[in-house]
PDB file of all heavy atoms in Angstrom:
ATOM      1  N   LEU A   1     110.177 119.395  93.891  1.00  0.00           N
ATOM      2  CA  LEU A   1     109.348 119.531  92.685  1.00  0.00           C
ATOM      3  C   LEU A   1     107.872 119.325  93.089  1.00  0.00           C
ATOM      4  O   LEU A   1     107.007 119.938  92.558  1.00  0.00           O
ATOM      5  CB  LEU A   1     109.731 118.558  91.627  1.00  0.00           C
ATOM      6  CG  LEU A   1     108.951 118.637  90.309  1.00  0.00           C
ATOM      7  CD1 LEU A   1     109.119 120.004  89.651  1.00  0.00           C
ATOM      8  CD2 LEU A   1     109.352 117.558  89.409  1.00  0.00           C
ATOM      9  N   ILE A   2     107.573 118.481  94.076  1.00  0.00           N
ATOM     10  CA  ILE A   2     106.207 118.239  94.498  1.00  0.00           C
ATOM     11  C   ILE A   2     105.904 118.789  95.788  1.00  0.00           C
ATOM     12  O   ILE A   2     104.819 118.514  96.354  1.00  0.00           O
ATOM     13  CB  ILE A   2     105.915 116.745  94.427  1.00  0.00           C
ATOM     14  CG1 ILE A   2     106.703 115.947  95.433  1.00  0.00           C
ATOM     15  CG2 ILE A   2     106.030 116.190  92.992  1.00  0.00           C
ATOM     16  CD1 ILE A   2     106.253 114.451  95.651  1.00  0.00           C
ATOM     17  N   GLY A   3     106.759 119.631  96.365  1.00  0.00           N
ATOM     18  CA  GLY A   3     106.545 120.279  97.702  1.00  0.00           C
ATOM     19  C   GLY A   3     106.465 119.436  98.861  1.00  0.00           C
ATOM     20  O   GLY A   3     105.738 119.545  99.795  1.00  0.00           O
ATOM     21  N   ALA A   4     107.236 118.367  98.871  1.00  0.00           N
ATOM     22  CA  ALA A   4     107.240 117.230  99.887  1.00  0.00           C
ATOM     23  C   ALA A   4     108.587 117.281 100.639  1.00  0.00           C
ATOM     24  O   ALA A   4     109.642 117.626 100.082  1.00  0.00           O
ATOM     25  CB  ALA A   4     106.972 115.834  99.209  1.00  0.00           C
ATOM     26  N   PRO A   5     108.624 116.825 101.835  1.00  0.00           N
ATOM     27  CA  PRO A   5     109.835 116.622 102.588  1.00  0.00           C
ATOM     28  C   PRO A   5     110.576 115.452 101.917  1.00  0.00           C
ATOM     29  O   PRO A   5     110.007 114.530 101.475  1.00  0.00           O
ATOM     30  CB  PRO A   5     109.363 116.132 103.971  1.00  0.00           C
ATOM     31  CG  PRO A   5     107.795 116.546 104.078  1.00  0.00           C
ATOM     32  CD  PRO A   5     107.434 116.460 102.632  1.00  0.00           C
ATOM     33  N   ALA A   6     111.937 115.629 101.885  1.00  0.00           N
ATOM     34  CA  ALA A   6     112.750 114.562 101.337  1.00  0.00           C
ATOM     35  C   ALA A   6     112.674 113.262 101.803  1.00  0.00           C
ATOM     36  O   ALA A   6     112.530 112.222 101.031  1.00  0.00           O
ATOM     37  CB  ALA A   6     114.184 115.029 101.302  1.00  0.00           C
ATOM     38  N   GLN A   7     112.423 113.185 103.112  1.00  0.00           N
ATOM     39  CA  GLN A   7     112.372 111.796 103.743  1.00  0.00           C
ATOM     40  C   GLN A   7     111.067 111.065 103.506  1.00  0.00           C
ATOM     41  O   GLN A   7     110.869 109.974 103.751  1.00  0.00           O
ATOM     42  CB  GLN A   7     112.374 111.914 105.247  1.00  0.00           C
ATOM     43  CG  GLN A   7     111.344 112.643 106.012  1.00  0.00           C
ATOM     44  CD  GLN A   7     111.609 114.119 106.024  1.00  0.00           C
ATOM     45  OE1 GLN A   7     112.363 114.747 105.358  1.00  0.00           O
ATOM     46  NE2 GLN A   7     110.811 114.811 106.977  1.00  0.00           N
ATOM     47  N   SER A   8     110.062 111.783 102.756  1.00  0.00           N
ATOM     48  CA  SER A   8     108.791 111.148 102.424  1.00  0.00           C
ATOM     49  C   SER A   8     108.838 110.435 101.024  1.00  0.00           C
ATOM     50  O   SER A   8     107.949 109.765 100.671  1.00  0.00           O
ATOM     51  CB  SER A   8     107.630 112.158 102.430  1.00  0.00           C
ATOM     52  OG  SER A   8     107.911 113.107 101.339  1.00  0.00           O
ATOM     53  N   LEU A   9     109.980 110.539 100.374  1.00  0.00           N
ATOM     54  CA  LEU A   9     110.040 109.997  98.970  1.00  0.00           C
ATOM     55  C   LEU A   9     110.759 108.618  98.945  1.00  0.00           C
ATOM     56  O   LEU A   9     111.839 108.471  99.452  1.00  0.00           O
ATOM     57  CB  LEU A   9     110.926 110.999  98.160  1.00  0.00           C
ATOM     58  CG  LEU A   9     110.566 110.998  96.668  1.00  0.00           C
ATOM     59  CD1 LEU A   9     109.165 111.585  96.452  1.00  0.00           C
ATOM     60  CD2 LEU A   9     111.499 111.878  95.898  1.00  0.00           C
ATOM     61  N   VAL A  10     110.047 107.724  98.296  1.00  0.00           N
ATOM     62  CA  VAL A  10     110.693 106.375  98.095  1.00  0.00           C
ATOM     63  C   VAL A  10     110.931 106.137  96.630  1.00  0.00           C
ATOM     64  O   VAL A  10     109.983 106.234  95.788  1.00  0.00           O
ATOM     65  CB  VAL A  10     109.707 105.233  98.645  1.00  0.00           C
ATOM     66  CG1 VAL A  10     110.228 103.915  98.266  1.00  0.00           C
ATOM     67  CG2 VAL A  10     109.352 105.484 100.046  1.00  0.00           C
ATOM     68  N   PHE A  11     112.273 105.866  96.310  1.00  0.00           N
ATOM     69  CA  PHE A  11     112.537 105.562  94.940  1.00  0.00           C
ATOM     70  C   PHE A  11     112.160 104.201  94.489  1.00  0.00           C
ATOM     71  O   PHE A  11     112.340 103.374  95.298  1.00  0.00           O
ATOM     72  CB  PHE A  11     114.084 105.841  94.590  1.00  0.00           C
ATOM     73  CG  PHE A  11     114.475 107.274  94.667  1.00  0.00           C
ATOM     74  CD1 PHE A  11     115.442 107.720  95.544  1.00  0.00           C
ATOM     75  CD2 PHE A  11     113.879 108.240  93.832  1.00  0.00           C
ATOM     76  CE1 PHE A  11     115.821 109.038  95.590  1.00  0.00           C
ATOM     77  CE2 PHE A  11     114.302 109.572  93.870  1.00  0.00           C
ATOM     78  CZ  PHE A  11     115.170 109.916  94.700  1.00  0.00           C
ATOM     79  N   THR A  12     111.638 104.086  93.315  1.00  0.00           N
ATOM     80  CA  THR A  12     111.177 102.818  92.718  1.00  0.00           C
ATOM     81  C   THR A  12     111.735 102.631  91.290  1.00  0.00           C
ATOM     82  O   THR A  12     112.390 103.509  90.884  1.00  0.00           O
ATOM     83  CB  THR A  12     109.738 102.764  92.657  1.00  0.00           C
ATOM     84  OG1 THR A  12     109.118 103.782  91.687  1.00  0.00           O
ATOM     85  CG2 THR A  12     109.048 103.024  94.094  1.00  0.00           C
ATOM     86  N   GLY A  13     111.496 101.529  90.718  1.00  0.00           N
ATOM     87  CA  GLY A  13     111.973 101.190  89.419  1.00  0.00           C
ATOM     88  C   GLY A  13     111.121 101.894  88.324  1.00  0.00           C
ATOM     89  O   GLY A  13     111.530 101.987  87.114  1.00  0.00           O
ATOM     90  N   CYS A  14     109.924 102.263  88.614  1.00  0.00           N
ATOM     91  CA  CYS A  14     109.088 102.867  87.633  1.00  0.00           C
ATOM     92  C   CYS A  14     107.788 103.251  88.415  1.00  0.00           C
ATOM     93  O   CYS A  14     107.519 103.023  89.572  1.00  0.00           O
ATOM     94  CB  CYS A  14     108.669 101.875  86.483  1.00  0.00           C
ATOM     95  SG  CYS A  14     108.028 100.352  87.050  1.00  0.00           S
ATOM     96  N   ALA A  15     106.891 103.977  87.617  1.00  0.00           N
ATOM     97  CA  ALA A  15     105.619 104.466  88.181  1.00  0.00           C
ATOM     98  C   ALA A  15     104.680 103.197  88.417  1.00  0.00           C
ATOM     99  O   ALA A  15     103.824 103.223  89.390  1.00  0.00           O
ATOM    100  CB  ALA A  15     104.861 105.368  87.263  1.00  0.00           C
ATOM    101  N   THR A  16     104.778 102.173  87.553  1.00  0.00           N
ATOM    102  CA  THR A  16     103.943 100.951  87.865  1.00  0.00           C
ATOM    103  C   THR A  16     104.327 100.365  89.199  1.00  0.00           C
ATOM    104  O   THR A  16     103.384  99.952  89.949  1.00  0.00           O
ATOM    105  CB  THR A  16     104.164  99.934  86.653  1.00  0.00           C
ATOM    106  OG1 THR A  16     103.563 100.522  85.524  1.00  0.00           O
ATOM    107  CG2 THR A  16     103.414  98.681  87.073  1.00  0.00           C
ATOM    108  N   GLU A  17     105.604 100.284  89.594  1.00  0.00           N
ATOM    109  CA  GLU A  17     105.993  99.756  90.835  1.00  0.00           C
ATOM    110  C   GLU A  17     105.470 100.684  91.908  1.00  0.00           C
ATOM    111  O   GLU A  17     105.034 100.170  92.920  1.00  0.00           O
ATOM    112  CB  GLU A  17     107.526  99.551  90.874  1.00  0.00           C
ATOM    113  CG  GLU A  17     107.973  99.020  92.189  1.00  0.00           C
ATOM    114  CD  GLU A  17     109.472  98.990  92.427  1.00  0.00           C
ATOM    115  OE1 GLU A  17     110.192  99.141  91.309  1.00  0.00           O
ATOM    116  OE2 GLU A  17     109.895  98.906  93.476  1.00  0.00           O
ATOM    117  N   ALA A  18     105.525 101.903  91.711  1.00  0.00           N
ATOM    118  CA  ALA A  18     105.120 102.865  92.734  1.00  0.00           C
ATOM    119  C   ALA A  18     103.606 102.710  93.029  1.00  0.00           C
ATOM    120  O   ALA A  18     103.170 102.777  94.101  1.00  0.00           O
ATOM    121  CB  ALA A  18     105.421 104.408  92.393  1.00  0.00           C
ATOM    122  N   ASN A  19     102.788 102.623  91.887  1.00  0.00           N
ATOM    123  CA  ASN A  19     101.379 102.410  92.107  1.00  0.00           C
ATOM    124  C   ASN A  19     101.071 101.062  92.777  1.00  0.00           C
ATOM    125  O   ASN A  19     100.199 101.015  93.612  1.00  0.00           O
ATOM    126  CB  ASN A  19     100.619 102.274  90.741  1.00  0.00           C
ATOM    127  CG  ASN A  19     100.451 103.808  90.176  1.00  0.00           C
ATOM    128  OD1 ASN A  19     100.473 104.771  90.895  1.00  0.00           O
ATOM    129  ND2 ASN A  19     100.493 103.899  88.890  1.00  0.00           N
ATOM    130  N   ASN A  20     101.835 100.018  92.439  1.00  0.00           N
ATOM    131  CA  ASN A  20     101.572  98.654  93.130  1.00  0.00           C
ATOM    132  C   ASN A  20     101.895  98.829  94.579  1.00  0.00           C
ATOM    133  O   ASN A  20     101.273  98.201  95.427  1.00  0.00           O
ATOM    134  CB  ASN A  20     102.339  97.641  92.346  1.00  0.00           C
ATOM    135  CG  ASN A  20     101.622  97.017  91.254  1.00  0.00           C
ATOM    136  OD1 ASN A  20     101.090  95.903  91.360  1.00  0.00           O
ATOM    137  ND2 ASN A  20     101.706  97.714  90.123  1.00  0.00           N
ATOM    138  N   LEU A  21     102.969  99.552  94.865  1.00  0.00           N
ATOM    139  CA  LEU A  21     103.452  99.641  96.232  1.00  0.00           C
ATOM    140  C   LEU A  21     102.333 100.502  97.050  1.00  0.00           C
ATOM    141  O   LEU A  21     101.971 100.148  98.183  1.00  0.00           O
ATOM    142  CB  LEU A  21     104.733 100.408  96.472  1.00  0.00           C
ATOM    143  CG  LEU A  21     105.248 100.772  97.773  1.00  0.00           C
ATOM    144  CD1 LEU A  21     105.313  99.500  98.700  1.00  0.00           C
ATOM    145  CD2 LEU A  21     106.601 101.477  97.686  1.00  0.00           C
ATOM    146  N   ALA A  22     101.831 101.576  96.400  1.00  0.00           N
ATOM    147  CA  ALA A  22     100.792 102.240  97.050  1.00  0.00           C
ATOM    148  C   ALA A  22      99.512 101.522  97.397  1.00  0.00           C
ATOM    149  O   ALA A  22      99.051 101.412  98.477  1.00  0.00           O
ATOM    150  CB  ALA A  22     100.356 103.479  96.177  1.00  0.00           C
ATOM    151  N   LEU A  23      98.946 100.767  96.346  1.00  0.00           N
ATOM    152  CA  LEU A  23      97.717 100.001  96.634  1.00  0.00           C
ATOM    153  C   LEU A  23      97.975  98.708  97.388  1.00  0.00           C
ATOM    154  O   LEU A  23      97.285  98.530  98.405  1.00  0.00           O
ATOM    155  CB  LEU A  23      97.048  99.670  95.314  1.00  0.00           C
ATOM    156  CG  LEU A  23      96.149 100.719  94.714  1.00  0.00           C
ATOM    157  CD1 LEU A  23      96.856 101.968  94.304  1.00  0.00           C
ATOM    158  CD2 LEU A  23      95.352 100.111  93.464  1.00  0.00           C
ATOM    159  N   LEU A  24      98.936  97.980  97.012  1.00  0.00           N
ATOM    160  CA  LEU A  24      99.177  96.636  97.711  1.00  0.00           C
ATOM    161  C   LEU A  24      99.866  96.919  99.015  1.00  0.00           C
ATOM    162  O   LEU A  24      99.545  96.094  99.988  1.00  0.00           O
ATOM    163  CB  LEU A  24      99.988  95.699  96.843  1.00  0.00           C
ATOM    164  CG  LEU A  24      99.398  95.481  95.490  1.00  0.00           C
ATOM    165  CD1 LEU A  24     100.338  94.438  94.703  1.00  0.00           C
ATOM    166  CD2 LEU A  24      98.003  94.900  95.550  1.00  0.00           C
ATOM    167  N   GLY A  25     100.635  97.911  99.146  1.00  0.00           N
ATOM    168  CA  GLY A  25     101.375  98.186 100.416  1.00  0.00           C
ATOM    169  C   GLY A  25     100.317  98.723 101.411  1.00  0.00           C
ATOM    170  O   GLY A  25     100.500  98.317 102.642  1.00  0.00           O
ATOM    171  N   VAL A  26      99.446  99.512 101.074  1.00  0.00           N
ATOM    172  CA  VAL A  26      98.438  99.974 101.989  1.00  0.00           C
ATOM    173  C   VAL A  26      97.514  98.845 102.361  1.00  0.00           C
ATOM    174  O   VAL A  26      97.064  98.599 103.547  1.00  0.00           O
ATOM    175  CB  VAL A  26      97.700 101.186 101.387  1.00  0.00           C
ATOM    176  CG1 VAL A  26      96.314 101.321 102.190  1.00  0.00           C
ATOM    177  CG2 VAL A  26      98.418 102.454 101.374  1.00  0.00           C
ATOM    178  N   ALA A  27      97.170  97.967 101.340  1.00  0.00           N
ATOM    179  CA  ALA A  27      96.232  96.908 101.637  1.00  0.00           C
ATOM    180  C   ALA A  27      96.963  95.897 102.692  1.00  0.00           C
ATOM    181  O   ALA A  27      96.253  95.402 103.573  1.00  0.00           O
ATOM    182  CB  ALA A  27      95.952  96.110 100.388  1.00  0.00           C
ATOM    183  N   ARG A  28      98.231  95.713 102.690  1.00  0.00           N
ATOM    184  CA  ARG A  28      98.899  94.843 103.600  1.00  0.00           C
ATOM    185  C   ARG A  28      98.939  95.402 105.010  1.00  0.00           C
ATOM    186  O   ARG A  28      99.014  94.654 105.968  1.00  0.00           O
ATOM    187  CB  ARG A  28     100.446  94.631 103.124  1.00  0.00           C
ATOM    188  CG  ARG A  28     100.517  93.742 101.911  1.00  0.00           C
ATOM    189  CD  ARG A  28     101.942  93.204 101.760  1.00  0.00           C
ATOM    190  NE  ARG A  28     102.179  92.281 102.797  1.00  0.00           N
ATOM    191  CZ  ARG A  28     103.251  92.223 103.567  1.00  0.00           C
ATOM    192  NH1 ARG A  28     104.183  93.220 103.460  1.00  0.00           N
ATOM    193  NH2 ARG A  28     103.510  91.302 104.573  1.00  0.00           N
ATOM    194  N   ALA A  29      98.845  96.756 105.050  1.00  0.00           N
ATOM    195  CA  ALA A  29      98.858  97.255 106.391  1.00  0.00           C
ATOM    196  C   ALA A  29      97.530  97.650 106.948  1.00  0.00           C
ATOM    197  O   ALA A  29      97.414  98.085 108.095  1.00  0.00           O
ATOM    198  CB  ALA A  29      99.620  98.743 106.289  1.00  0.00           C
ATOM    199  N   CYS A  30      96.459  97.298 106.252  1.00  0.00           N
ATOM    200  CA  CYS A  30      95.036  97.721 106.666  1.00  0.00           C
ATOM    201  C   CYS A  30      94.563  96.673 107.695  1.00  0.00           C
ATOM    202  O   CYS A  30      94.828  95.520 107.577  1.00  0.00           O
ATOM    203  CB  CYS A  30      94.154  97.739 105.547  1.00  0.00           C
ATOM    204  SG  CYS A  30      94.241  99.280 104.578  1.00  0.00           S
ATOM    205  N   PRO A  31      93.756  97.077 108.653  1.00  0.00           N
ATOM    206  CA  PRO A  31      93.116  96.171 109.578  1.00  0.00           C
ATOM    207  C   PRO A  31      92.074  95.399 108.861  1.00  0.00           C
ATOM    208  O   PRO A  31      91.570  95.782 107.727  1.00  0.00           O
ATOM    209  CB  PRO A  31      92.424  96.971 110.656  1.00  0.00           C
ATOM    210  CG  PRO A  31      92.374  98.360 109.959  1.00  0.00           C
ATOM    211  CD  PRO A  31      93.446  98.508 109.032  1.00  0.00           C
ATOM    212  N   PRO A  32      91.613  94.222 109.295  1.00  0.00           N
ATOM    213  CA  PRO A  32      90.641  93.305 108.634  1.00  0.00           C
ATOM    214  C   PRO A  32      89.301  93.973 108.218  1.00  0.00           C
ATOM    215  O   PRO A  32      88.741  93.678 107.328  1.00  0.00           O
ATOM    216  CB  PRO A  32      90.338  92.210 109.634  1.00  0.00           C
ATOM    217  CG  PRO A  32      91.637  92.131 110.562  1.00  0.00           C
ATOM    218  CD  PRO A  32      92.059  93.631 110.565  1.00  0.00           C
ATOM    219  N   GLY A  33      88.874  94.994 109.087  1.00  0.00           N
ATOM    220  CA  GLY A  33      87.661  95.660 108.672  1.00  0.00           C
ATOM    221  C   GLY A  33      87.636  96.642 107.620  1.00  0.00           C
ATOM    222  O   GLY A  33      86.715  97.353 107.399  1.00  0.00           O
ATOM    223  N   LYS A  34      88.900  96.901 107.060  1.00  0.00           N
ATOM    224  CA  LYS A  34      89.054  97.898 106.059  1.00  0.00           C
ATOM    225  C   LYS A  34      89.509  97.224 104.718  1.00  0.00           C
ATOM    226  O   LYS A  34      90.687  97.013 104.535  1.00  0.00           O
ATOM    227  CB  LYS A  34      90.098  98.952 106.429  1.00  0.00           C
ATOM    228  CG  LYS A  34      89.660  99.898 107.552  1.00  0.00           C
ATOM    229  CD  LYS A  34      88.868 100.983 106.955  1.00  0.00           C
ATOM    230  CE  LYS A  34      88.763 102.232 107.964  1.00  0.00           C
ATOM    231  NZ  LYS A  34      88.154 103.411 107.280  1.00  0.00           N
ATOM    232  N   ARG A  35      88.555  96.828 103.949  1.00  0.00           N
ATOM    233  CA  ARG A  35      88.883  96.058 102.823  1.00  0.00           C
ATOM    234  C   ARG A  35      87.930  96.659 101.573  1.00  0.00           C
ATOM    235  O   ARG A  35      87.459  95.721 100.835  1.00  0.00           O
ATOM    236  CB  ARG A  35      88.698  94.542 103.034  1.00  0.00           C
ATOM    237  CG  ARG A  35      89.777  93.955 103.957  1.00  0.00           C
ATOM    238  CD  ARG A  35      89.518  92.559 104.335  1.00  0.00           C
ATOM    239  NE  ARG A  35      89.586  91.691 103.177  1.00  0.00           N
ATOM    240  CZ  ARG A  35      90.723  91.184 102.675  1.00  0.00           C
ATOM    241  NH1 ARG A  35      91.934  91.500 103.377  1.00  0.00           N
ATOM    242  NH2 ARG A  35      90.734  90.350 101.732  1.00  0.00           N
ATOM    243  N   HIS A  36      87.856  97.854 101.414  1.00  0.00           N
ATOM    244  CA  HIS A  36      87.098  98.424 100.309  1.00  0.00           C
ATOM    245  C   HIS A  36      87.969  99.443  99.698  1.00  0.00           C
ATOM    246  O   HIS A  36      88.620 100.258 100.306  1.00  0.00           O
ATOM    247  CB  HIS A  36      85.821  99.056 100.857  1.00  0.00           C
ATOM    248  CG  HIS A  36      85.095  99.757  99.731  1.00  0.00           C
ATOM    249  ND1 HIS A  36      84.666 100.988  99.806  1.00  0.00           N
ATOM    250  CD2 HIS A  36      84.638  99.263  98.448  1.00  0.00           C
ATOM    251  CE1 HIS A  36      84.030 101.366  98.684  1.00  0.00           C
ATOM    252  NE2 HIS A  36      83.988 100.325  97.924  1.00  0.00           N
ATOM    253  N   LEU A  37      88.074  99.465  98.364  1.00  0.00           N
ATOM    254  CA  LEU A  37      88.838 100.338  97.492  1.00  0.00           C
ATOM    255  C   LEU A  37      88.051 101.087  96.542  1.00  0.00           C
ATOM    256  O   LEU A  37      87.182 100.519  95.856  1.00  0.00           O
ATOM    257  CB  LEU A  37      89.992  99.498  96.831  1.00  0.00           C
ATOM    258  CG  LEU A  37      90.874 100.155  95.858  1.00  0.00           C
ATOM    259  CD1 LEU A  37      91.775 101.313  96.543  1.00  0.00           C
ATOM    260  CD2 LEU A  37      91.736  99.203  95.064  1.00  0.00           C
ATOM    261  N   VAL A  38      88.266 102.382  96.331  1.00  0.00           N
ATOM    262  CA  VAL A  38      87.552 103.232  95.353  1.00  0.00           C
ATOM    263  C   VAL A  38      88.561 103.826  94.452  1.00  0.00           C
ATOM    264  O   VAL A  38      89.598 104.376  94.754  1.00  0.00           O
ATOM    265  CB  VAL A  38      86.795 104.401  95.984  1.00  0.00           C
ATOM    266  CG1 VAL A  38      86.173 105.301  95.073  1.00  0.00           C
ATOM    267  CG2 VAL A  38      85.825 103.872  97.070  1.00  0.00           C
ATOM    268  N   ILE A  39      88.327 103.613  93.077  1.00  0.00           N
ATOM    269  CA  ILE A  39      89.113 104.201  91.936  1.00  0.00           C
ATOM    270  C   ILE A  39      88.192 104.693  90.898  1.00  0.00           C
ATOM    271  O   ILE A  39      87.001 104.390  90.992  1.00  0.00           O
ATOM    272  CB  ILE A  39      90.072 103.140  91.403  1.00  0.00           C
ATOM    273  CG1 ILE A  39      89.232 102.050  90.670  1.00  0.00           C
ATOM    274  CG2 ILE A  39      91.055 102.604  92.528  1.00  0.00           C
ATOM    275  CD1 ILE A  39      90.242 100.998  89.886  1.00  0.00           C
ATOM    276  N   SER A  40      88.781 105.468  89.966  1.00  0.00           N
ATOM    277  CA  SER A  40      87.892 105.943  88.834  1.00  0.00           C
ATOM    278  C   SER A  40      87.902 104.886  87.776  1.00  0.00           C
ATOM    279  O   SER A  40      88.783 103.958  87.685  1.00  0.00           O
ATOM    280  CB  SER A  40      88.469 107.294  88.302  1.00  0.00           C
ATOM    281  OG  SER A  40      89.537 107.077  87.448  1.00  0.00           O
ATOM    282  N   ALA A  41      86.918 105.108  86.767  1.00  0.00           N
ATOM    283  CA  ALA A  41      86.869 104.109  85.730  1.00  0.00           C
ATOM    284  C   ALA A  41      87.878 104.399  84.643  1.00  0.00           C
ATOM    285  O   ALA A  41      87.983 103.603  83.695  1.00  0.00           O
ATOM    286  CB  ALA A  41      85.456 104.262  85.109  1.00  0.00           C
ATOM    287  N   VAL A  42      88.741 105.466  84.805  1.00  0.00           N
ATOM    288  CA  VAL A  42      89.627 105.676  83.699  1.00  0.00           C
ATOM    289  C   VAL A  42      91.123 105.687  84.294  1.00  0.00           C
ATOM    290  O   VAL A  42      92.047 106.247  83.671  1.00  0.00           O
ATOM    291  CB  VAL A  42      89.368 107.114  83.142  1.00  0.00           C
ATOM    292  CG1 VAL A  42      88.165 107.130  82.399  1.00  0.00           C
ATOM    293  CG2 VAL A  42      89.432 108.198  84.208  1.00  0.00           C
ATOM    294  N   GLU A  43      91.290 104.858  85.296  1.00  0.00           N
ATOM    295  CA  GLU A  43      92.698 104.733  85.814  1.00  0.00           C
ATOM    296  C   GLU A  43      93.649 104.031  84.889  1.00  0.00           C
ATOM    297  O   GLU A  43      93.182 103.121  84.048  1.00  0.00           O
ATOM    298  CB  GLU A  43      92.695 104.060  87.170  1.00  0.00           C
ATOM    299  CG  GLU A  43      91.996 104.755  88.275  1.00  0.00           C
ATOM    300  CD  GLU A  43      92.617 106.172  88.592  1.00  0.00           C
ATOM    301  OE1 GLU A  43      93.844 106.175  88.633  1.00  0.00           O
ATOM    302  OE2 GLU A  43      91.908 107.064  88.736  1.00  0.00           O
ATOM    303  N   HIS A  44      94.930 104.378  84.906  1.00  0.00           N
ATOM    304  CA  HIS A  44      95.926 103.529  84.148  1.00  0.00           C
ATOM    305  C   HIS A  44      95.954 102.128  84.531  1.00  0.00           C
ATOM    306  O   HIS A  44      95.551 101.803  85.765  1.00  0.00           O
ATOM    307  CB  HIS A  44      97.234 104.221  84.397  1.00  0.00           C
ATOM    308  CG  HIS A  44      98.327 103.718  83.521  1.00  0.00           C
ATOM    309  ND1 HIS A  44      99.099 102.623  83.707  1.00  0.00           N
ATOM    310  CD2 HIS A  44      98.818 104.283  82.393  1.00  0.00           C
ATOM    311  CE1 HIS A  44      99.954 102.408  82.749  1.00  0.00           C
ATOM    312  NE2 HIS A  44      99.796 103.482  81.885  1.00  0.00           N
ATOM    313  N   PRO A  45      96.317 101.225  83.722  1.00  0.00           N
ATOM    314  CA  PRO A  45      96.429  99.768  84.103  1.00  0.00           C
ATOM    315  C   PRO A  45      97.280  99.475  85.240  1.00  0.00           C
ATOM    316  O   PRO A  45      97.104  98.565  86.017  1.00  0.00           O
ATOM    317  CB  PRO A  45      96.938  99.162  82.828  1.00  0.00           C
ATOM    318  CG  PRO A  45      96.414  99.926  81.665  1.00  0.00           C
ATOM    319  CD  PRO A  45      96.486 101.428  82.241  1.00  0.00           C
TER     320      PRO A  45
END
C-alpha cells in the first residue's frame, strides 16, 4: 500500500507507538554529536 519492501515494515500497537519508536528509537541510535530535532508546529501530540 505504501510502495515499501515487506521486510521494512514493523508492526506496532498503534500509530502513537510507531511515532515514539521513530523519534526515540532514532535518538537512542544517534552519536553524541547529533542531538537536534526539527518538527513542525502542527504535529500530532
